[in-house]
Amino acid sequence: MNGGAAMANACWLASNMAARQRFHRALAAPAETQHAWLQAQLARHAASDFGNGHDFAAIADYAGFARRVPLADYDDFAPWIGRIRRGDTMVLSIDPVTHFAPTSGSSGARKLIPFTRGLTTAFDAAVGPWMLDLAHRRPRLVGGPAYWSVSPLSTTETIADPARTSDNAGAVPIGFADDAEYLGGAKAWLVRRAMAVPASIRHVRDERAFWCLSLLALLRQPELRLISVWHPSFLELLVAAAVEAWSELLEAVASGSNPWEVALPSAAHAAWRAPANRVRAAALRRIGASNWPAWWPRLQVVSCWGEQAAQSGCDRLRSRCAEDAPRVLVQRKGLLATEAVVTVPFADALPLAVCSHYFEFLQDDGDIRRAHELRPGAHYEVIVTNGGGLWRYRLGDVVECTGHLAATPTLRFLGRGGHVSDLRGEKLSEPFVAEALRGLWGDDPAPAVAVLRGWERGAAAGYELLLSTESLAGSVERVAQRLEALLWENPHYALARRLGQLAPLQVVTIGEDDARDALRAHAGRLGEAKPRTLVRAPTRETGRHPAHTGRTAI
């Protein structure tokens, strides 16, 4: 047992007992819980500019809320967020905005989501019950450190200080210091005490150094109990990097050295130092580079996305663990976006996070249902009021009600509303791709056919540009480089490419007849097909996986 990690885990879990009890009670009373949450938020933020503008003080019930506050998307909030970036206060909520969390938008490369103390509390109200439930099922989880995967900074991000990134365009910093910051305060401090890989890894821009440093920290932790990643391909890539650098990694474990230390900021070097451990290195040498479940004999849980495009990867992990490590639970994550927690794993289900936000659900016919009104088998688009400044926000995720836990609906993620391709969490929308293609051609005539198509072959995935040749300007390689640069404006696409989760963009030159044949498989009968600049992978319907964010890995 790792005493320090075990103590930090026990203290963190104990601090969440009250939240778990509230959540358990709320499952039996979603209507009352949601009503009370909404009324408290309306009263709290009535003095904000948004609250004054929509007369929150006069809203007595849901009907008044729906009448006074319209449905909105990010573009509707962009002017308000612009004011916050310039330093205005009490704009969307009365709480100070501590930072912005960047994520991809449906019509552009980036959205900036305001984070406040209230939104941090909302995330904590969901994560706490989830982890306590998991610890109840797997008590040995508490006894050692955890790996919460950390995303490295993009090449376009700059470091404002050791814990923040900013584009120097506003008064509020952009980005998280690490994943623990979702929880805030003392709880974040406790979580950091049990992290197997220091958060400073995110400052490593060199891809090979990033993988090797992550592996070095993990291989030095025989007591590892939890692995939390977003897309399961992240873990597959980690193992592949271990195979390539196995000898170097074992020597570093044995000697206590760190050949990749130069890639770290100087202030972080101390966090990566470790004593020589020849016994551990010898044990790893006997196990081998590819048998990763045996690296950590007390590993209890692997948490990852398991729906839509991530399902096959999650299934591969489950099969591997069933064969080599049946003690390991591979658990699907709930639906977590940068803007809100929608569902959390709890009691072998994925119930709505009723204590965290206020939820509405838009039907195909335009009618709106509340949490207690959902019907099993029906599909809905999620609308969320998150308490951090987004009011009746169309999240864009489409879910299916799969049943109920007590009286609270359980949900399954179906994908993104609108036309979005998301093989590895990159969330490429058709409007964004169309703008990239327009930028690619500039003033030159566009080809008759230019369509970006996703593909998946086994564990590999990527995109290819189907391009008719009659108006092709320049070499195929040049076109690929230019379009790749434009697609990297999407931070999640850039991240997936840097980590190797997506293969380099390819250009496939074809005739118009061949292009129409290719599109037929995606659009049905050709006479019914609308012009497309983006088509999804033919082997799988694609969808969104909640921001690591992206997201950060919770």
Side-chain angles (χ1 to χ4, degrees):
M1 177 180 291
N2 183 313
M7 180 64 70
N9 286 331
C11 291
W12 178 45
L13 292 172
S15 71
N16 289 308
M17 289 295 296
R20 185 191 183 280
Q21 292 170 356
R22 284 194 298 271
F23 185 66
H24 188 267
R25 290 194 300 268
L27 292 174
E32 294 81 0
T33 300
Q34 288 276 278
H35 174 76
W37 191 96
L38 179 61
Q39 291 303 125
Q41 295 300 314
L42 290 172
R44 174 173 175 76
H45 300 293
S48 68
D49 290 349
F50 191 91
N52 276 319
H54 294 82
D55 202 8
F56 279 9
I59 298 176
D61 52 22
Y62 169 72
F65 178 59
R67 184 171 59 252
R68 291 181 181 274
V69 182
L71 299 184
D73 57 22
Y74 184 79
D75 289 342
D76 296 310
F77 285 105
W80 301 85
I81 290 171
R83 289 180 52 198
I84 298 171
R85 295 191 67 195
R86 292 189 294 272
D88 289 358
T89 59
M90 296 185 66
V91 178
L92 289 168
S93 73
I94 67 167
D95 295 332
V97 175
T98 57
H99 57 280
F100 289 111
T103 186
S104 292
S106 61
S107 59
R110 185 174 71 164
K111 299 184 294 184
L112 295 176
I113 305 304
F115 257 72
T116 65
R117 183 180 63 182
L119 188 53
T120 298
T121 300
F123 274 85
D124 184 42
V127 174
W130 164 35
M131 294 308 298
L132 271 168
D133 181 72
L134 192 56
H136 177 75
R137 297 176 61 191
R138 296 293 176 118
R140 294 181 180 178
L141 186 70
V142 181
Y147 174 47
W148 301 85
S149 66
V150 177
S151 301
L153 295 172
S154 72
T155 55
T156 59
E157 286 180 300
T158 58
I159 301 173
D161 61 54
R164 285 284 191 261
T165 65
S166 173
D167 60 4
N168 299 317
V172 181
I174 297 172
F176 285 111
D178 56 47
D179 302 337
E181 199 165 356
Y182 270 104
L183 306 177
K187 292 186 178 182
W189 185 88
L190 289 170
V191 169
R192 292 186 183 110
R193 302 286 76 74
M195 281 186 172
V197 178
S200 55
I201 187 71
R202 76 187 305 264
H203 296 279
V204 176
R205 299 179 187 273
D206 179 84
E207 181 183 332
R208 186 173 189 272
F210 171 79
W211 290 119
C212 290
L213 283 165
S214 299
L215 284 160
L216 180 59
L218 290 168
L219 292 174
R220 285 171 169 169
Q221 296 282 356
E223 292 286 340
L224 188 73
R225 304 301 174 98
L226 168 69
I227 294 175
S228 177
V229 298
W230 288 102
H231 200 283
S233 66
F234 190 99
L235 185 54
E236 295 170 349
L237 289 167
L238 192 68
V239 175
V243 172
E244 180 184 339
W246 192 241
S247 296
E248 292 175 272
L249 289 164
L250 293 188
E251 173 57 30
V253 172
S255 65
S257 63
N258 188 342
W260 306 280
E261 190 174 47
V262 67
L264 290 163
S266 58
H269 287 181
W272 289 85
R273 294 190 180 121
N277 194 336
R278 297 190 180 279
V279 174
R280 173 65 173 160
L284 290 168
R285 186 172 287 107
R286 289 192 297 271
I287 293 169
S290 59
N291 188 17
W292 65 267
W295 297 346
W296 306 291
R298 295 175 181 82
L299 181 66
Q300 298 296 306
V301 177
V302 174
S303 172
C304 64
W305 290 329
E307 295 178 330
Q308 290 301 94
Q311 181 177 340
S312 61
C314 183
D315 289 345
R316 286 194 299 272
L317 283 179
R318 282 180 170 154
S319 296
R320 178 67 187 272
C321 289
E323 293 175 2
D324 298 330
R327 70 183 182 282
V328 176
L329 169 68
V330 178
Q331 185 186 63
R332 289 183 303 148
K333 289 185 184 296
L335 177 52
L336 171 64
T338 306
E339 300 91 336
V341 186
V342 181
T343 63
V344 291
F346 192 84
D348 293 320
L350 291 173
L352 187 68
V354 288
C355 293
S356 295
H357 317 288
Y358 190 80
F359 294 98
E360 301 168 81
F361 297 88
L362 182 63
Q363 299 183 143
D364 288 339
D365 61 8
D367 286 345
I368 292 177
R369 295 288 181 265
R370 287 172 283 172
H372 62 283
E373 299 172 329
L374 302 193
R375 296 178 292 104
H379 296 179
Y380 307 93
E381 179 189 335
V382 180
I383 302 164
V384 65
T385 294
N386 73 355
L390 299 182
W391 304 91
R392 304 198 79 200
Y393 178 79
R394 296 185 65 168
L395 193 59
D397 291 329
V398 177
V399 297
E400 177 186 357
C401 178
T402 57
H404 291 81
L405 181 61
T408 295
T410 57
L411 305 175
R412 180 171 70 92
F413 171 68
L414 296 178
R416 290 288 289 164
H419 196 66
V420 175
S421 182
D422 195 0
L423 305 175
R424 296 294 184 267
E426 70 279 6
K427 299 187 295 296
L428 287 180
S429 69
E430 188 161 51
F432 174 72
V433 170
E435 286 296 322
L437 291 175
R438 279 191 283 271
L440 179 64
W441 310 124
D443 295 330
D444 295 328
V449 176
V451 178
L452 190 69
R453 179 173 68 183
W455 56 265
E456 287 186 283
R457 291 189 285 273
Y463 287 86
E464 57 190 9
L465 178 64
L466 305 181
L467 189 64
S468 57
T469 57
E470 64 277 2
S471 299
L472 180 61
S475 68
V476 168
E477 292 78 12
R478 176 61 177 162
V479 170
Q481 291 172 2
R482 289 169 60 195
L483 181 56
E484 184 85 315
L486 291 166
L487 294 178
W488 275 59
E489 292 298 317
N490 177 315
H492 297 319
Y493 179 89
L495 175 61
R497 283 284 292 110
R498 289 201 317 275
L499 297 182
Q501 292 174 294
L502 290 175
L505 177 75
Q506 298 175 344
V507 175
V508 179
T509 55
I510 56 176
E512 291 186 48
D513 290 341
D514 291 334
R516 292 191 184 96
D517 289 341
L519 293 174
R520 192 189 306 270
H522 304 280
R525 292 190 296 271
L526 191 59
E528 296 178 359
K530 296 180 179 178
R532 292 289 190 190
T533 57
L534 174 68
V535 292
R536 299 184 177 101
T539 57
R540 183 181 302 279
E541 181 183 356
T542 57
R544 178 185 182 175
H545 314 295
H548 138 294
T549 188
R551 305 237 185 219
T552 49
I554 283 187

